[in-house]
Amino acid sequence: MNYTWHLVLMAILYILAGANHFRKPEIYFKIIPNSLIYKDFINFMTGFLQIVFGVSLLLPKYQSVAAYSIIILLLLIFPSNLYMVFNKKARLGIPLWLLVIRLPLQFLLIFWAYQYV
């Protein structure tokens, strides 16, 4: 198996991001919109799926499915990014300008994942 550095980087980023959902769940509870219930389940599943998809990126047989799954996950969590922009309590002390810049970054992450489908 010959992995490119950017594929390995992407896999590591999703694995670490997923693990952080278990390490610091209270952060994620604050950014899940209040209109959603079962925040603990949403946090658990998001973290778990990020880890699974990150590992799966490194398995050639599952790489394409993992990339598509990451794209879907990024689209599903986009409302949380918007929630952080429009709800001061959900900003976690992050400056508003940085959160606004982060919105198009989500689409760059989608494009990055699309390179592996």
Side-chain angles (χ1 to χ4, degrees):
M1 288 176 260
N2 190 8
Y3 299 117
T4 60
W5 66 269
H6 39 88
L7 175 64
V8 173
L9 177 62
M10 178 184 263
I12 290 170
L13 288 175
Y14 282 100
I15 293 166
L16 291 177
N20 202 48
H21 280 256
F22 299 102
R23 197 172 72 82
K24 300 260 185 171
E26 64 279 353
I27 292 172
Y28 299 96
F29 293 153
K30 292 177 184 175
I31 67 172
I32 297 171
N34 287 329
S35 59
L36 298 176
I37 55 174
Y38 306 118
K39 289 185 178 196
D40 51 346
F41 177 75
I42 292 169
N43 178 63
F44 173 84
M45 286 307 297
T46 304
F48 173 75
L49 291 173
Q50 285 179 332
I51 293 168
V52 169
F53 299 156
V55 170
S56 297
L57 280 173
L58 300 175
L59 303 172
K61 182 177 179 180
Y62 300 106
Q63 182 178 348
S64 182
V65 172
Y68 275 123
S69 299
I70 287 170
I71 291 168
I72 292 167
L73 183 62
L74 289 170
L75 291 171
L76 288 172
I77 64 171
F78 190 74
S80 287
N81 294 342
L82 289 172
Y83 183 69
M84 289 179 76
V85 168
F86 294 110
N87 186 320
K88 192 170 185 173
K89 290 181 182 179
R91 292 185 189 157
L92 306 173
I94 300 169
L96 179 60
W97 66 268
L98 193 57
L99 293 171
V100 170
I101 289 172
R102 180 176 166 220
L103 293 175
L105 176 64
Q106 198 86 356
F107 296 101
L108 290 173
L109 292 172
I110 289 169
F111 178 75
W112 188 11
Y114 188 72
Q115 303 312 298
Y116 304 105
V117 298

